[in-house]
Amino acid sequence: MNVTATPAPKSAIKLEIELPPERLNRAVDDAVRRLSRRTKVPGFRPGKAPRAVLERTLGPGAILDEAVEHLVQDAYRAALIEKEILPIANADVDVVQAEEGKPVIFTATVPVRPEVQLGDYRNFNFRPEIETIDDARVDKVVEELRDQNGTLAPVEDRGARNGDYAVIAFEGTRDGNPFEGGRSERMPLILGEERLIPGFEGHLEGLRVGESTEFDITFPDDYAEESLRGQPVHFRAEIKELREKVLPDADDAFAQSMGDFADMAEMRAEIRPRLERNALDRARHQFADKIIDYAVANATIELPDVLIDQEVEVLHDELRSSLASQGISQEAYLKVLEKSEADLHADLRPRADERVRTLLVLSKIAEAEGIAVPDEDVEAEVARGRERYAGDRKLLAYFDSERGRNFIRSTLRRTQVVERLVDDWLAAHPEHAPLPHVESGPTSAAESAAVAAGAIEAEAELAEAAESPEPSQSSHAGDADATPPVTEPTATGSAG
């Protein structure tokens, strides 16, 4: 067997493989035996029908096609081992020549783990930006607390105005006829939030409970229901209920109701340091994000489509999970957006590309910085995950698996990369205010592993692809602990 390997676009290797004619002869003999055993031919016992009889039963090209398929698969596996290639997905195979008496020639384009060429990731010219916490910022928190603790009181001495909580009844007609979705007996809404058609709520201002009004309005051109876009309609609306939010006074009694505070001054004194700690936390996160963006922008990496496709599925699964938690079906979601699943995947693709690049670049930086995660750190994270998800058998099994531990290790490793870059910059700039580590950070790896073990296991596969060892250890991105299977080629040519 003669094998040549050359680089191909999008992180792939093109194998050109040539087999001598006698390999095809043996493959044909093997194909005859296989097909004879599993084909019922009148007058012959299983395994005894000769080639000519089989071809009359199965068709003239059936035996050669069977022989070429098995020969190509066997040769492809052998070529991967010979060239020490680690495929991350099925190869694209094109059979160039497959005629008896001639050499078999085929090509296989094999997607492989991308090579990441790091650029600069340390000499950036930006700095952490820390929000200033002043009295106005504290005032805003006090107002938010008052709003959260407000009560709704009936409005009896005035008409409706923006900010009121109303329950309305309405009925709409188009050309004098009711239309679907144009009627409700009790519709709750907060006036001024424009939950209904733009301009609708303005007609309710000034109405008291029990009063009604009639008006004409035109649906917007981009309205979700196509049949109503740009259409003029007539509505009759009535205020059924009207309430307003009454906020507690910002006094000492309110402060005392919010916790162990003697007065408002003491509560404000407690709020300010909390805001300052949160500001430092946000500054560290935002600074870390900018460092990551800087490193990714300066790196050179050519991504294979298969990794982006996998991450699109990850994002899609995340969306499904999010919608399900809100009681929304994917079908309803796509209908509102007026998009197909293919449209959704196209929308998700740029984000998927960005996430894959970030994952691979951070893994490469970890390698360059010599960052390794000790086993005890992984076990500690596993213990935290087992405690948090004690009732989930599937997750507990995932945490105990080598694959789950590999995912946690790679997640911790990437986190340590970012923390080191931030800490190194702070050490080189002692004049800058300290940015302490976030206390909740260590649990993130277990949480990420839990997600990976659930609806989006492709995330774990991608992470392990980024961290995977040399080809001698594994040939599948998601099973670093398994005996290396060989990815099957996907033929695009014919045996003729």
Side-chain angles (χ1 to χ4, degrees):
M1 182 173 71
N2 182 32
V3 182
T4 59
T6 56
K10 294 191 175 182
S11 187
I13 295 175
K14 184 175 183 180
L15 297 174
E16 297 184 18
I17 302 170
E18 180 175 333
L19 303 166
E22 53 268 25
R23 287 283 300 273
L24 180 57
N25 293 339
R26 292 198 296 271
V28 167
D29 292 341
D30 292 340
V32 169
R33 284 191 289 271
R34 282 193 303 273
L35 292 174
S36 180
R37 285 195 296 269
R38 65 177 188 243
T39 304
K40 292 184 179 180
V41 180
F44 294 91
R45 297 194 306 275
K48 299 300 182 179
R51 177 178 180 178
V53 175
L54 284 173
E55 287 183 331
R56 284 198 299 270
T57 302
L58 300 175
I63 291 175
L64 182 58
D65 288 345
E66 171 84 3
V68 171
E69 180 181 351
H70 282 263
L71 183 58
V72 166
Q73 289 182 6
D74 292 344
Y76 172 72
R77 292 189 182 96
L80 291 180
I81 295 172
E82 177 182 327
K83 297 298 182 180
E84 296 184 331
I85 293 173
L86 174 66
I88 61 174
N90 290 344
D92 184 10
V93 173
D94 181 22
V95 178
V96 178
Q97 178 174 284
E99 299 178 28
E100 293 185 72
K102 296 182 180 180
V104 173
I105 302 172
F106 70 93
T107 64
T109 304
V110 188
V112 295
R113 187 180 65 172
E115 288 295 327
V116 179
Q117 296 179 357
L118 293 176
D120 178 53
Y121 56 88
R122 285 187 173 274
N123 300 311
F124 40 83
N125 58 9
F126 48 84
R127 303 169 64 89
E129 298 178 1
I130 304 175
E131 179 188 5
T132 300
I133 304 302
D134 53 16
D135 288 342
R137 187 69 180 84
V138 176
D139 290 341
K140 183 178 179 181
V141 173
V142 172
E143 289 305 305
E144 290 171 351
L145 291 172
R146 292 179 65 211
D147 185 72
Q148 293 168 11
N149 289 274
T151 58
L152 295 179
V155 175
E156 299 174 347
D157 57 351
R158 63 169 175 81
R161 64 188 180 197
N162 283 348
D164 284 343
Y165 289 69
V167 176
I168 68 170
F170 63 85
E171 183 173 11
T173 57
R174 182 174 57 176
D175 298 328
N177 299 311
F179 56 90
E180 185 177 356
R183 183 177 185 276
S184 175
E185 288 294 330
R186 294 182 62 83
M187 167 71 75
L189 74 161
I190 301 175
L191 298 181
E193 291 192 349
E194 294 289 353
R195 178 182 173 186
L196 301 177
I197 309 167
F200 185 104
E201 294 172 22
H203 292 279
L204 305 177
E205 291 184 24
L207 293 182
R208 292 173 177 256
V209 175
E211 294 182 343
S212 61
T213 184
E214 297 190 33
F215 54 90
D216 294 324
I217 197 168
T218 301
F219 278 90
D221 293 335
D222 59 352
Y223 192 67
E225 175 56 48
E226 187 175 358
S227 64
L228 294 175
R229 291 175 183 171
Q231 295 297 310
V233 294
H234 182 79
F235 275 104
R236 182 186 183 279
E238 177 187 353
I239 300 287
K240 292 285 191 179
E241 296 177 15
L242 193 63
R243 292 177 293 172
E244 62 180 340
K245 179 175 282 190
V246 179
L247 305 185
D249 293 333
D251 54 15
D252 293 343
F254 173 64
Q256 292 163 3
S257 72
M258 295 305 299
D260 189 18
F261 305 114
D263 51 30
M264 177 59 70
E266 186 175 334
M267 187 177 81
R268 291 176 64 89
E270 173 69 19
I271 290 173
R272 183 182 293 272
R274 290 187 182 184
L275 290 176
E276 290 171 344
R277 289 193 296 270
N278 291 341
L280 293 176
D281 178 21
R282 282 194 304 275
R284 186 178 182 96
H285 274 293
Q286 292 168 358
F287 185 51
D289 288 343
K290 291 181 72 173
I291 293 174
I292 293 171
D293 292 342
Y294 179 82
V296 173
N298 288 333
T300 301
I301 177 172
E302 190 175 21
L303 294 181
D305 288 336
V306 63
L307 287 186
I308 303 175
D309 293 341
Q310 288 175 357
E311 190 65 16
V312 166
E313 290 299 332
V314 169
L315 292 172
H316 192 174
D317 285 339
E318 289 176 350
L319 176 62
R320 287 193 190 99
S321 178
S322 175
L323 292 173
S325 68
Q326 302 172 64
I328 303 172
S329 69
Q330 177 182 285
E331 292 73 19
Y333 176 78
L334 292 176
K335 183 177 180 180
V336 170
L337 294 181
E338 296 184 326
K339 290 186 176 182
S340 65
E341 189 168 300
D343 295 331
L344 177 62
H345 279 201
D347 291 343
L348 293 174
R349 198 165 185 82
R351 185 178 167 204
D353 184 290
E354 179 184 1
R355 280 181 34 163
V356 174
R357 289 179 187 278
T358 298
L359 187 65
L360 293 171
V361 169
L362 287 179
S363 296
K364 188 67 174 182
I365 294 175
E367 179 184 324
E369 295 286 327
I371 294 176
V373 178
D375 289 343
E376 53 266 27
D377 288 1
V378 176
E379 293 306 318
E381 191 66 33
V382 169
R384 278 190 286 266
R386 290 179 61 84
E387 181 178 354
R388 177 164 185 175
Y389 301 100
D392 193 322
R393 292 184 179 181
K394 180 179 179 181
L395 277 181
L396 294 181
Y398 183 72
F399 288 141
D400 286 338
S401 70
E402 188 66 22
R403 183 175 184 180
R405 281 172 162 78
N406 285 343
F407 181 82
I408 289 174
R409 187 186 302 276
S410 63
T411 302
L412 289 173
R413 190 180 186 215
R414 291 191 301 275
T415 299
Q416 291 180 15
V417 167
V418 179
E419 296 297 340
R420 175 181 291 187
L421 294 178
V422 172
D423 289 339
D424 286 354
W425 186 92
L426 291 171
H429 297 80
E431 76 284 358
H432 195 279
L435 297 177
H437 290 255
V438 185
E439 293 181 1
S440 61
T443 63
S444 60
E447 292 170 357
S448 298
V451 173
I456 56 170
E457 286 192 353
E459 180 79 14
E461 296 187 3
L462 179 60
E464 291 170 18
E467 301 285 346
S468 64
E470 293 306 309
S472 60
Q473 299 206 15
S474 174
S475 66
H476 189 275
D479 295 303
D481 58 323
T483 302
V486 178
T487 309
E488 295 296 337
T490 301
T492 59
S494 63

